[in-house]
Amino acid sequence: MALSDVLLFPLGLAALLVAVPIVVLYLIRPDPERVELPTFRFLVSEERQQATTPLFERLSRSVLLLIQLLAILLLATALATPYVPVSERETVEETVLVVDTSASMATTDGGASRFDRAVAAAREEATSATSVITTEGGGRVRLQRGTPSDARGLLAEFSPTDAPGDLRGAISQASSLAGENARIVVVSDFAGDSWGDAVTTARARDISVDLRQFDRGGEDNVGFVNRRLSGTEVTLSVRNFGDDSVSRTVTLGDRRTELELDGGDTETVTFPVPAGRSRAELSPGDDFAVDDSVSLAAPEDPTVDVLVLTNDENRYLTTALSVVDSVNVTVERPPTTIDDGYDVIVYSNVNRESLLPGNVESGRELLADGGGVAVQAQREMPERYGDLQLVESSGPQAGTTVRRSADSELTRGIDFQPPDEYLAGELREGESLVELRDGSPLVATADRGPGRVLYYGYIEDASSFKFNYQYPVFWKRSAFHLAGRETLPALNYATGETARFQVDTVSGPDGPVSGPTVSLQRAGFYGTADRQVSASLLDEAESDTAVDPLEDRSGSVGELTREEQRTVPRPLTEFVALGALAVLLLEIGYLYRRGDL
């Protein structure tokens, strides 16, 4: 056995050389001078014969030397730092806990969830300096180098989210947070394999990573895995992750459909979306309840009533609006009276002489009620439009190029072609979303009180944009924007996404949530009195709750053990030093007893 197997610094044994001069001094020191007293000569001689022997006398004279040599041996050994190998877990003082709070951790088995068991295990791992990281948002640091009581108190407040988690990002965050000789403990069901390289990277930095898997339950999960919204309908996808055939009932409002799914099958069902808040339900439920329902938010009044006021009907415009299921189009020719009840008024190709003052006043009243007005460019714009006209026009001009398109909800992803003819002018108010080379607005919007105004700068018979497949998309977006209505895709999110509101406090599934930007970690409804959105778990990987044990996996993840066994030296220096001190005290006691002190 090499010295390095028991000593961290074998060179410390060089201190034994101190014993050499001590032994030499004992060898060369002169014998003590004896003075004989005749009176006691015979008495002492007889007593010595009875009490001692020559061997014992030699030993007694060497006791002090032996004590000193033992003290030197212990001190030299202490300098060499003796140690015993122990589990690293017994010596670590800093622990970074990575707690998987993803939706799949809510899977239950025997009345307890994976998350409950994981948190109970994490509480036992707290050390004198404990950090806690959860998997939402790519790895969220919830506690940094806190006390064990701080860590246990925080863990008691945790609950799993209804959103997918980022275990890889959380482990990477833990690696960057871990100090020297720290240990990372990951409690998770370890669904998927993407986290494996983060563990490998951490261990390459000589950081101990302990993997604790909690994967009970969820072997035969059936749940919603996708949701497609189109017009006023929703198409829901249901998947059977188990091996056996199952029957499920899907309900939404007053509609219901029976599904038969073989092992691994996915079926779809399409329903109209009820107005307001509703929820699609899958029954019977199973161990993973989060994907057994899908929340849906829709406007209370799903239909947008649009009035097109025109003397020369633009059939491209009216057709683009009428093909939208939730848009009801009415066409009127001025001079005419305008009834109440419209959400949007579009002024298109109106004769200047036929436009009545009341027709323009109806637009202003609609804006005051929170509706919308759109004005389409024409070669001779009626002066009666007044403040409904966002552009101060200087007259028609020959075609030019498009210089800029803003990234807005109306123009995003749409390729606006250059017009053959347009109205040159300057913007009076609002924002120019599409701008021509000379700075003239082609598309502009403005908020007018609770309402909205749109300027559409294409002169229709001098534009090719009406033949673009994106033309109906633009007018669908415009109708919903002007009416203050959001489309179904804009109101319904997947958990884990973010939604923006215009207020600082929003109601959520578990109570008030801070805004205006809200992270949708819980499934359900979020909103204010004027706007409601929904969030649902729609993640096939998260719903696949049948997780293989780590030791049964193949590939790179299969090479990662459940618990990494590593040993580290535990120095015994303090114990050896205490032994040396005890020997020195023994020497002092011996000298005192012998009478030298």
Side-chain angles (χ1 to χ4, degrees), residues 499-517:
R500 288 192 60 84
F501 295 86
Q502 300 300 318
V503 295
D504 293 332
T505 302
V506 176
S507 64
D510 298 328
V513 182
S514 298
T517 300

Side-chain angles (χ1 to χ4, degrees), residues 315-376:
R315 296 194 177 274
Y316 297 100
L317 169 63
T318 55
T319 300
L321 291 171
S322 61
V323 296
V324 182
D325 293 339
S326 53
V327 173
N328 184 21
V329 181
T330 301
V331 179
E332 295 283 355
R333 297 173 62 88
T336 185
T337 57
I338 298 177
D339 298 329
D340 295 333
Y342 293 106
D343 300 305
V344 178
I345 296 177
V346 180
Y347 297 89
S348 172
N349 297 333
V350 179
N351 290 338
R352 300 171 64 179
E353 298 79 9
S354 302
L355 185 65
L356 301 177
N359 300 150
V360 178
E361 189 60 31
S362 294
R364 296 191 180 99
E365 292 174 356
L366 180 59
L367 291 173
D369 290 338
V373 168
V375 175
Q376 182 177 8

Side-chain angles (χ1 to χ4, degrees), residues 270-520:
T270 300
F271 291 134
V273 179
R277 305 198 313 184
S278 59
R279 197 184 304 271
E281 301 281 356
L282 194 63
S283 60
D286 49 39
D287 292 344
F288 186 50
V290 181
D291 64 356
D292 290 339
S293 66
V294 171
S295 301
L296 293 165
E300 293 292 343
D301 180 8
T303 302
V304 177
D305 295 311
V306 179
L307 171 64
V308 178
L309 204 62
T310 180
N311 295 107
D312 182 13
E313 182 179 349
N314 179 355
R315 296 194 177 274
Y316 297 100
L317 169 63
T318 55
T319 300
L321 291 171
S322 61
V323 296
V324 182
D325 293 339
S326 53
V327 173
N328 184 21
V329 181
T330 301
V331 179
E332 295 283 355
R333 297 173 62 88
T336 185
T337 57
I338 298 177
D339 298 329
D340 295 333
Y342 293 106
D343 300 305
V344 178
I345 296 177
V346 180
Y347 297 89
S348 172
N349 297 333
V350 179
N351 290 338
R352 300 171 64 179
E353 298 79 9
S354 302
L355 185 65
L356 301 177
N359 300 150
V360 178
E361 189 60 31
S362 294
R364 296 191 180 99
E365 292 174 356
L366 180 59
L367 291 173
D369 290 338
V373 168
V375 175
Q376 182 177 8
Q378 57 190 74
R379 291 181 178 86
E380 295 184 359
M381 297 291 286
E383 295 179 357
R384 282 181 176 166
Y385 283 157
D387 58 346
L388 299 184
Q389 169 73 344
L390 296 181
V391 175
E392 183 70 41
S393 174
S394 59
Q397 296 288 335
T400 184
T401 57
V402 175
R403 183 175 72 179
R404 180 183 67 87
S405 293
D407 184 22
S408 71
E409 62 174 311
L410 294 182
T411 60
R412 186 175 297 116
I414 296 179
D415 180 22
F416 290 91
Q417 284 111 20
D420 296 332
E421 189 177 354
Y422 69 99
L423 294 182
E426 295 181 356
L427 189 66
R428 291 175 174 174
E429 64 172 302
E431 179 185 8
S432 179
L433 303 182
V434 182
E435 194 172 275
L436 299 174
R437 185 176 61 183
D438 64 354
S440 298
L442 188 61
V443 177
T445 60
D447 291 332
R448 186 73 57 80
R452 293 147 295 278
V453 182
L454 170 70
Y455 170 73
Y456 179 74
Y458 282 109
I459 299 173
E460 209 70 283
D461 61 1
S463 165
S464 61
F465 181 57
K466 58 181 177 289
F467 303 117
N468 192 310
Y469 74 96
Q470 295 172 321
Y471 180 83
V473 175
F474 171 78
W475 278 109
K476 176 184 177 180
R477 292 179 182 177
S478 298
F480 278 88
H481 168 75
L482 292 171
R485 310 274 175 79
E486 293 183 87
T487 61
L488 289 178
L491 293 174
N492 294 278
Y493 294 81
T495 52
E497 296 180 335
T498 57
R500 288 192 60 84
F501 295 86
Q502 300 300 318
V503 295
D504 293 332
T505 302
V506 176
S507 64
D510 298 328
V513 182
S514 298
T517 300
V518 177
S519 178
L520 309 176

Side-chain angles (χ1 to χ4, degrees), residues 208-246:
S208 174
V209 183
D210 189 356
L211 308 180
R212 305 292 183 85
Q213 188 175 26
F214 302 87
D215 56 352
R216 293 173 59 179
E219 291 81 3
D220 299 311
N221 183 46
V222 179
F224 292 108
V225 295
N226 198 9
R227 175 198 62 201
R228 296 188 301 276
L229 296 158
S230 177
T232 59
E233 293 184 328
V234 59
T235 299
L236 300 166
S237 299
V238 181
R239 180 171 179 182
N240 175 15
F241 290 93
D243 297 325
D244 300 328
S245 297
V246 297

Side-chain angles (χ1 to χ4, degrees), residues 29 49 74 146 161 205 280 304 394 451 465 516 518 587:
R29 72 174 180 174
Q49 289 175 1
L74 292 174
T161 68
R205 293 178 50 202
V304 177
S394 59
F465 181 57
V518 177
E587 180 183 3

